[in-house]
Structures are given as C-alpha cells and as structure tokens.
Amino acid sequence: MTGQSITLRLRIQDPVPGVAYSLQDKKNHPVGPVIAGDGPLAFDVSVRAAPGPRYLGEFVRSEGPSRRFVYIAIGTSAGQHGSTWTRRAKIDIHTIPEDLLARALEGAMLEVLLPGRAKDGGPACATVVPLEGWRVVG
C-alpha cells in the first residue's frame, strides 16, 4: 500500500434535518449513511498521503493532475429512497496546508467545517467552500 494513512474529519455545521448523508466510495456507493438531526454531522475518512503530496484511498476522487476530493452523498445519493434531495458535496482535500499535513502524518486528526445549506435552503452541494479552513483537532 502506498502512502501513510491519515484521518480527516468532515464536519457539516447545519445539515438539513431528516435528510440522509454519507461518504461515497469510488464506486458511487453510500458508506455509513446517517439521518441528520438538529445538530452538526461529522464523517471521519481515512486517506493515504503519499509524497507529492498525493492522496489515495477508497474515498479519494481525482480531477485533473492535482485536484483531489471526497464526496458526501445526500438524500437518494446516500441511499434514502423517497428523499426530495439527490445531491453530492465535493470536499477538496488537495488544499490541505503542508504544515497541517505534516501534523496529520504525525498522528493528528484534521478537521474542516462545512456549511450544511445551499442558497436554496436545501443541502449544500457541488464544490462546498469550507466555513473555516482545515485545522488540527483532538
């Protein structure tokens, strides 16, 4: 296996209550779906960081030579049949600062705080801009 495993926490600040959210693997399958309540949701995802840095793993997607991201599936995409929502949130990971990546490689968990709602009031989707940048937690 190439690279060293690090853990990233994707925290959704204000998800839409009653809607399913999950990580989405490379085969577009929902993994670990949960139904949002009144509070934040968080998904911990393990990725491998290789020199470059390059990010690898069952949840890491690529676009072009350097963009790497993780999808959060929402509504029917997360396996919630009958949901009015069919969305995905794209969370960029190639933007993690080098100093924080170094901390993650030493065992620290990195977290990013994400908005839960789009301008239409539904779940945030497409490329989601973090409310706050990556930070070390725990």
PDB file of all heavy atoms in Angstrom, residues 9-16 19-22 33-44 72 111-114:
ATOM      1  N   ARG A   9     -11.621  14.653   9.266  1.00  0.00           N
ATOM      2  CA  ARG A   9     -12.996  14.767   9.749  1.00  0.00           C
ATOM      3  C   ARG A   9     -13.689  15.854   8.943  1.00  0.00           C
ATOM      4  O   ARG A   9     -13.246  17.005   8.914  1.00  0.00           O
ATOM      5  CB  ARG A   9     -13.037  15.098  11.233  1.00  0.00           C
ATOM      6  CG  ARG A   9     -14.473  15.288  11.744  1.00  0.00           C
ATOM      7  CD  ARG A   9     -14.539  15.348  13.250  1.00  0.00           C
ATOM      8  NE  ARG A   9     -14.283  13.993  13.753  1.00  0.00           N
ATOM      9  CZ  ARG A   9     -13.852  13.735  14.987  1.00  0.00           C
ATOM     10  NH1 ARG A   9     -13.596  14.707  15.828  1.00  0.00           N
ATOM     11  NH2 ARG A   9     -13.660  12.488  15.363  1.00  0.00           N
ATOM     12  N   LEU A  10     -14.797  15.482   8.311  1.00  0.00           N
ATOM     13  CA  LEU A  10     -15.611  16.410   7.534  1.00  0.00           C
ATOM     14  C   LEU A  10     -16.832  16.737   8.392  1.00  0.00           C
ATOM     15  O   LEU A  10     -17.706  15.887   8.581  1.00  0.00           O
ATOM     16  CB  LEU A  10     -16.029  15.765   6.209  1.00  0.00           C
ATOM     17  CG  LEU A  10     -14.912  15.089   5.402  1.00  0.00           C
ATOM     18  CD1 LEU A  10     -15.483  14.403   4.180  1.00  0.00           C
ATOM     19  CD2 LEU A  10     -13.834  16.084   5.033  1.00  0.00           C
ATOM     20  N   ARG A  11     -16.875  17.948   8.958  1.00  0.00           N
ATOM     21  CA  ARG A  11     -17.958  18.336   9.866  1.00  0.00           C
ATOM     22  C   ARG A  11     -18.919  19.274   9.138  1.00  0.00           C
ATOM     23  O   ARG A  11     -18.518  20.337   8.665  1.00  0.00           O
ATOM     24  CB  ARG A  11     -17.404  19.017  11.118  1.00  0.00           C
ATOM     25  CG  ARG A  11     -18.507  19.400  12.120  1.00  0.00           C
ATOM     26  CD  ARG A  11     -17.944  19.964  13.400  1.00  0.00           C
ATOM     27  NE  ARG A  11     -17.107  19.026  14.113  1.00  0.00           N
ATOM     28  CZ  ARG A  11     -17.554  18.029  14.881  1.00  0.00           C
ATOM     29  NH1 ARG A  11     -18.838  17.826  15.016  1.00  0.00           N
ATOM     30  NH2 ARG A  11     -16.702  17.249  15.501  1.00  0.00           N
ATOM     31  N   ILE A  12     -20.184  18.851   9.070  1.00  0.00           N
ATOM     32  CA  ILE A  12     -21.232  19.651   8.437  1.00  0.00           C
ATOM     33  C   ILE A  12     -21.946  20.420   9.534  1.00  0.00           C
ATOM     34  O   ILE A  12     -22.592  19.828  10.408  1.00  0.00           O
ATOM     35  CB  ILE A  12     -22.210  18.748   7.654  1.00  0.00           C
ATOM     36  CG1 ILE A  12     -21.441  17.913   6.628  1.00  0.00           C
ATOM     37  CG2 ILE A  12     -23.304  19.590   7.003  1.00  0.00           C
ATOM     38  CD1 ILE A  12     -22.257  16.807   6.015  1.00  0.00           C
ATOM     39  N   GLN A  13     -21.828  21.747   9.503  1.00  0.00           N
ATOM     40  CA  GLN A  13     -22.322  22.594  10.575  1.00  0.00           C
ATOM     41  C   GLN A  13     -23.839  22.552  10.738  1.00  0.00           C
ATOM     42  O   GLN A  13     -24.336  22.450  11.843  1.00  0.00           O
ATOM     43  CB  GLN A  13     -21.871  24.045  10.340  1.00  0.00           C
ATOM     44  CG  GLN A  13     -22.292  25.008  11.428  1.00  0.00           C
ATOM     45  CD  GLN A  13     -21.695  24.675  12.773  1.00  0.00           C
ATOM     46  OE1 GLN A  13     -20.596  24.136  12.875  1.00  0.00           O
ATOM     47  NE2 GLN A  13     -22.407  24.970  13.840  1.00  0.00           N
ATOM     48  N   ASP A  14     -24.589  22.660   9.649  1.00  0.00           N
ATOM     49  CA  ASP A  14     -26.038  22.827   9.746  1.00  0.00           C
ATOM     50  C   ASP A  14     -26.741  21.972   8.686  1.00  0.00           C
ATOM     51  O   ASP A  14     -27.340  22.507   7.750  1.00  0.00           O
ATOM     52  CB  ASP A  14     -26.371  24.314   9.561  1.00  0.00           C
ATOM     53  CG  ASP A  14     -27.833  24.633   9.815  1.00  0.00           C
ATOM     54  OD1 ASP A  14     -28.493  23.866  10.539  1.00  0.00           O
ATOM     55  OD2 ASP A  14     -28.317  25.636   9.263  1.00  0.00           O
ATOM     56  N   PRO A  15     -26.674  20.629   8.820  1.00  0.00           N
ATOM     57  CA  PRO A  15     -27.302  19.775   7.806  1.00  0.00           C
ATOM     58  C   PRO A  15     -28.825  19.920   7.851  1.00  0.00           C
ATOM     59  O   PRO A  15     -29.389  20.375   8.841  1.00  0.00           O
ATOM     60  CB  PRO A  15     -26.854  18.367   8.209  1.00  0.00           C
ATOM     61  CG  PRO A  15     -26.624  18.458   9.679  1.00  0.00           C
ATOM     62  CD  PRO A  15     -26.105  19.854   9.924  1.00  0.00           C
ATOM     63  N   VAL A  16     -29.479  19.525   6.780  1.00  0.00           N
ATOM     64  CA  VAL A  16     -30.939  19.584   6.710  1.00  0.00           C
ATOM     65  C   VAL A  16     -31.508  18.400   7.498  1.00  0.00           C
ATOM     66  O   VAL A  16     -31.248  17.247   7.139  1.00  0.00           O
ATOM     67  CB  VAL A  16     -31.416  19.564   5.242  1.00  0.00           C
ATOM     68  CG1 VAL A  16     -32.939  19.568   5.176  1.00  0.00           C
ATOM     69  CG2 VAL A  16     -30.847  20.759   4.481  1.00  0.00           C
ATOM     70  N   VAL A  19     -32.679  14.409   6.462  1.00  0.00           N
ATOM     71  CA  VAL A  19     -32.041  14.027   5.210  1.00  0.00           C
ATOM     72  C   VAL A  19     -30.837  13.132   5.504  1.00  0.00           C
ATOM     73  O   VAL A  19     -30.080  13.383   6.440  1.00  0.00           O
ATOM     74  CB  VAL A  19     -31.611  15.277   4.398  1.00  0.00           C
ATOM     75  CG1 VAL A  19     -30.869  14.882   3.133  1.00  0.00           C
ATOM     76  CG2 VAL A  19     -32.821  16.133   4.062  1.00  0.00           C
ATOM     77  N   ALA A  20     -30.663  12.092   4.683  1.00  0.00           N
ATOM     78  CA  ALA A  20     -29.526  11.181   4.838  1.00  0.00           C
ATOM     79  C   ALA A  20     -28.265  11.785   4.217  1.00  0.00           C
ATOM     80  O   ALA A  20     -28.322  12.409   3.160  1.00  0.00           O
ATOM     81  CB  ALA A  20     -29.821   9.842   4.181  1.00  0.00           C
ATOM     82  N   TYR A  21     -27.142  11.578   4.899  1.00  0.00           N
ATOM     83  CA  TYR A  21     -25.818  11.983   4.429  1.00  0.00           C
ATOM     84  C   TYR A  21     -24.912  10.769   4.598  1.00  0.00           C
ATOM     85  O   TYR A  21     -25.057  10.007   5.550  1.00  0.00           O
ATOM     86  CB  TYR A  21     -25.251  13.123   5.284  1.00  0.00           C
ATOM     87  CG  TYR A  21     -25.959  14.438   5.144  1.00  0.00           C
ATOM     88  CD1 TYR A  21     -27.187  14.666   5.755  1.00  0.00           C
ATOM     89  CD2 TYR A  21     -25.390  15.477   4.415  1.00  0.00           C
ATOM     90  CE1 TYR A  21     -27.833  15.891   5.631  1.00  0.00           C
ATOM     91  CE2 TYR A  21     -26.020  16.708   4.290  1.00  0.00           C
ATOM     92  CZ  TYR A  21     -27.242  16.900   4.902  1.00  0.00           C
ATOM     93  OH  TYR A  21     -27.881  18.111   4.774  1.00  0.00           O
ATOM     94  N   SER A  22     -23.939  10.599   3.703  1.00  0.00           N
ATOM     95  CA  SER A  22     -22.976   9.512   3.835  1.00  0.00           C
ATOM     96  C   SER A  22     -21.714   9.867   3.059  1.00  0.00           C
ATOM     97  O   SER A  22     -21.727  10.748   2.199  1.00  0.00           O
ATOM     98  CB  SER A  22     -23.546   8.198   3.286  1.00  0.00           C
ATOM     99  OG  SER A  22     -23.566   8.214   1.875  1.00  0.00           O
ATOM    100  N   PRO A  33     -24.325   5.758   5.967  1.00  0.00           N
ATOM    101  CA  PRO A  33     -25.336   6.816   5.960  1.00  0.00           C
ATOM    102  C   PRO A  33     -25.913   7.084   7.345  1.00  0.00           C
ATOM    103  O   PRO A  33     -26.072   6.162   8.144  1.00  0.00           O
ATOM    104  CB  PRO A  33     -26.402   6.290   5.005  1.00  0.00           C
ATOM    105  CG  PRO A  33     -26.210   4.815   4.932  1.00  0.00           C
ATOM    106  CD  PRO A  33     -24.756   4.569   5.223  1.00  0.00           C
ATOM    107  N   VAL A  34     -26.179   8.355   7.591  1.00  0.00           N
ATOM    108  CA  VAL A  34     -26.841   8.786   8.829  1.00  0.00           C
ATOM    109  C   VAL A  34     -27.915   9.810   8.456  1.00  0.00           C
ATOM    110  O   VAL A  34     -27.772  10.530   7.474  1.00  0.00           O
ATOM    111  CB  VAL A  34     -25.858   9.401   9.849  1.00  0.00           C
ATOM    112  CG1 VAL A  34     -24.882   8.371  10.358  1.00  0.00           C
ATOM    113  CG2 VAL A  34     -25.116  10.581   9.269  1.00  0.00           C
ATOM    114  N   ILE A  35     -28.961   9.844   9.254  1.00  0.00           N
ATOM    115  CA  ILE A  35     -30.024  10.824   9.052  1.00  0.00           C
ATOM    116  C   ILE A  35     -29.714  12.025   9.928  1.00  0.00           C
ATOM    117  O   ILE A  35     -29.512  11.891  11.138  1.00  0.00           O
ATOM    118  CB  ILE A  35     -31.411  10.241   9.421  1.00  0.00           C
ATOM    119  CG1 ILE A  35     -31.704   8.962   8.629  1.00  0.00           C
ATOM    120  CG2 ILE A  35     -32.502  11.295   9.217  1.00  0.00           C
ATOM    121  CD1 ILE A  35     -31.834   9.153   7.140  1.00  0.00           C
ATOM    122  N   ALA A  36     -29.686  13.210   9.318  1.00  0.00           N
ATOM    123  CA  ALA A  36     -29.363  14.432  10.063  1.00  0.00           C
ATOM    124  C   ALA A  36     -30.473  14.758  11.062  1.00  0.00           C
ATOM    125  O   ALA A  36     -31.660  14.571  10.787  1.00  0.00           O
ATOM    126  CB  ALA A  36     -29.175  15.600   9.095  1.00  0.00           C
ATOM    127  N   GLY A  37     -30.041  15.254  12.207  1.00  0.00           N
ATOM    128  CA  GLY A  37     -30.963  15.743  13.221  1.00  0.00           C
ATOM    129  C   GLY A  37     -30.814  17.255  13.302  1.00  0.00           C
ATOM    130  O   GLY A  37     -30.581  17.921  12.289  1.00  0.00           O
ATOM    131  N   ASP A  38     -30.902  17.793  14.517  1.00  0.00           N
ATOM    132  CA  ASP A  38     -30.808  19.240  14.702  1.00  0.00           C
ATOM    133  C   ASP A  38     -29.377  19.754  14.844  1.00  0.00           C
ATOM    134  O   ASP A  38     -29.150  20.949  14.796  1.00  0.00           O
ATOM    135  CB  ASP A  38     -31.610  19.669  15.938  1.00  0.00           C
ATOM    136  CG  ASP A  38     -33.102  19.496  15.720  1.00  0.00           C
ATOM    137  OD1 ASP A  38     -33.551  19.594  14.563  1.00  0.00           O
ATOM    138  OD2 ASP A  38     -33.815  19.258  16.708  1.00  0.00           O
ATOM    139  N   GLY A  39     -28.407  18.858  15.039  1.00  0.00           N
ATOM    140  CA  GLY A  39     -27.035  19.298  15.266  1.00  0.00           C
ATOM    141  C   GLY A  39     -26.125  18.974  14.101  1.00  0.00           C
ATOM    142  O   GLY A  39     -26.546  18.428  13.076  1.00  0.00           O
ATOM    143  N   PRO A  40     -24.846  19.308  14.258  1.00  0.00           N
ATOM    144  CA  PRO A  40     -23.858  19.030  13.212  1.00  0.00           C
ATOM    145  C   PRO A  40     -23.673  17.526  12.989  1.00  0.00           C
ATOM    146  O   PRO A  40     -23.980  16.722  13.869  1.00  0.00           O
ATOM    147  CB  PRO A  40     -22.568  19.643  13.760  1.00  0.00           C
ATOM    148  CG  PRO A  40     -22.983  20.556  14.848  1.00  0.00           C
ATOM    149  CD  PRO A  40     -24.267  20.035  15.388  1.00  0.00           C
ATOM    150  N   LEU A  41     -23.181  17.192  11.814  1.00  0.00           N
ATOM    151  CA  LEU A  41     -22.804  15.820  11.470  1.00  0.00           C
ATOM    152  C   LEU A  41     -21.310  15.796  11.194  1.00  0.00           C
ATOM    153  O   LEU A  41     -20.757  16.787  10.719  1.00  0.00           O
ATOM    154  CB  LEU A  41     -23.481  15.378  10.178  1.00  0.00           C
ATOM    155  CG  LEU A  41     -24.936  14.987  10.173  1.00  0.00           C
ATOM    156  CD1 LEU A  41     -25.356  14.612   8.750  1.00  0.00           C
ATOM    157  CD2 LEU A  41     -25.188  13.833  11.103  1.00  0.00           C
ATOM    158  N   ALA A  42     -20.679  14.654  11.444  1.00  0.00           N
ATOM    159  CA  ALA A  42     -19.261  14.535  11.118  1.00  0.00           C
ATOM    160  C   ALA A  42     -18.983  13.161  10.533  1.00  0.00           C
ATOM    161  O   ALA A  42     -19.551  12.159  10.978  1.00  0.00           O
ATOM    162  CB  ALA A  42     -18.398  14.765  12.354  1.00  0.00           C
ATOM    163  N   PHE A  43     -18.133  13.147   9.529  1.00  0.00           N
ATOM    164  CA  PHE A  43     -17.671  11.904   8.919  1.00  0.00           C
ATOM    165  C   PHE A  43     -16.164  11.862   9.016  1.00  0.00           C
ATOM    166  O   PHE A  43     -15.493  12.808   8.608  1.00  0.00           O
ATOM    167  CB  PHE A  43     -18.086  11.833   7.444  1.00  0.00           C
ATOM    168  CG  PHE A  43     -19.571  11.747   7.247  1.00  0.00           C
ATOM    169  CD1 PHE A  43     -20.307  12.882   6.978  1.00  0.00           C
ATOM    170  CD2 PHE A  43     -20.223  10.527   7.358  1.00  0.00           C
ATOM    171  CE1 PHE A  43     -21.677  12.814   6.810  1.00  0.00           C
ATOM    172  CE2 PHE A  43     -21.595  10.446   7.188  1.00  0.00           C
ATOM    173  CZ  PHE A  43     -22.327  11.588   6.912  1.00  0.00           C
ATOM    174  N   ASP A  44     -15.639  10.771   9.561  1.00  0.00           N
ATOM    175  CA  ASP A  44     -14.198  10.559   9.610  1.00  0.00           C
ATOM    176  C   ASP A  44     -13.827   9.670   8.430  1.00  0.00           C
ATOM    177  O   ASP A  44     -14.414   8.605   8.248  1.00  0.00           O
ATOM    178  CB  ASP A  44     -13.778   9.890  10.915  1.00  0.00           C
ATOM    179  CG  ASP A  44     -13.937  10.810  12.113  1.00  0.00           C
ATOM    180  OD1 ASP A  44     -14.257  12.004  11.926  1.00  0.00           O
ATOM    181  OD2 ASP A  44     -13.767  10.333  13.248  1.00  0.00           O
ATOM    182  N   ILE A  72     -19.482  13.693  -0.252  1.00  0.00           N
ATOM    183  CA  ILE A  72     -20.514  13.358   0.715  1.00  0.00           C
ATOM    184  C   ILE A  72     -21.801  13.249  -0.094  1.00  0.00           C
ATOM    185  O   ILE A  72     -22.196  14.198  -0.783  1.00  0.00           O
ATOM    186  CB  ILE A  72     -20.645  14.418   1.823  1.00  0.00           C
ATOM    187  CG1 ILE A  72     -19.368  14.457   2.662  1.00  0.00           C
ATOM    188  CG2 ILE A  72     -21.874  14.121   2.696  1.00  0.00           C
ATOM    189  CD1 ILE A  72     -19.359  15.524   3.737  1.00  0.00           C
ATOM    190  N   GLU A 111      -9.569  18.497  10.666  1.00  0.00           N
ATOM    191  CA  GLU A 111     -10.996  18.719  10.508  1.00  0.00           C
ATOM    192  C   GLU A 111     -11.246  19.955   9.670  1.00  0.00           C
ATOM    193  O   GLU A 111     -10.493  20.930   9.730  1.00  0.00           O
ATOM    194  CB  GLU A 111     -11.653  18.910  11.880  1.00  0.00           C
ATOM    195  CG  GLU A 111     -13.133  19.204  11.824  1.00  0.00           C
ATOM    196  CD  GLU A 111     -13.724  19.442  13.191  1.00  0.00           C
ATOM    197  OE1 GLU A 111     -13.544  20.559  13.739  1.00  0.00           O
ATOM    198  OE2 GLU A 111     -14.359  18.517  13.730  1.00  0.00           O
ATOM    199  N   VAL A 112     -12.330  19.897   8.886  1.00  0.00           N
ATOM    200  CA  VAL A 112     -12.779  21.059   8.127  1.00  0.00           C
ATOM    201  C   VAL A 112     -14.255  21.265   8.463  1.00  0.00           C
ATOM    202  O   VAL A 112     -15.016  20.294   8.605  1.00  0.00           O
ATOM    203  CB  VAL A 112     -12.535  20.887   6.606  1.00  0.00           C
ATOM    204  CG1 VAL A 112     -13.391  19.792   6.017  1.00  0.00           C
ATOM    205  CG2 VAL A 112     -12.722  22.190   5.871  1.00  0.00           C
ATOM    206  N   LEU A 113     -14.661  22.522   8.637  1.00  0.00           N
ATOM    207  CA  LEU A 113     -16.044  22.869   8.969  1.00  0.00           C
ATOM    208  C   LEU A 113     -16.758  23.313   7.696  1.00  0.00           C
ATOM    209  O   LEU A 113     -16.330  24.255   7.028  1.00  0.00           O
ATOM    210  CB  LEU A 113     -16.068  23.983  10.018  1.00  0.00           C
ATOM    211  CG  LEU A 113     -17.434  24.366  10.559  1.00  0.00           C
ATOM    212  CD1 LEU A 113     -18.096  23.184  11.263  1.00  0.00           C
ATOM    213  CD2 LEU A 113     -17.299  25.540  11.522  1.00  0.00           C
ATOM    214  N   LEU A 114     -17.847  22.615   7.386  1.00  0.00           N
ATOM    215  CA  LEU A 114     -18.561  22.830   6.126  1.00  0.00           C
ATOM    216  C   LEU A 114     -19.967  23.366   6.368  1.00  0.00           C
ATOM    217  O   LEU A 114     -20.606  23.003   7.355  1.00  0.00           O
ATOM    218  CB  LEU A 114     -18.664  21.495   5.374  1.00  0.00           C
ATOM    219  CG  LEU A 114     -17.334  20.795   5.121  1.00  0.00           C
ATOM    220  CD1 LEU A 114     -17.569  19.340   4.767  1.00  0.00           C
ATOM    221  CD2 LEU A 114     -16.570  21.524   4.038  1.00  0.00           C
TER     222      LEU A 114
END
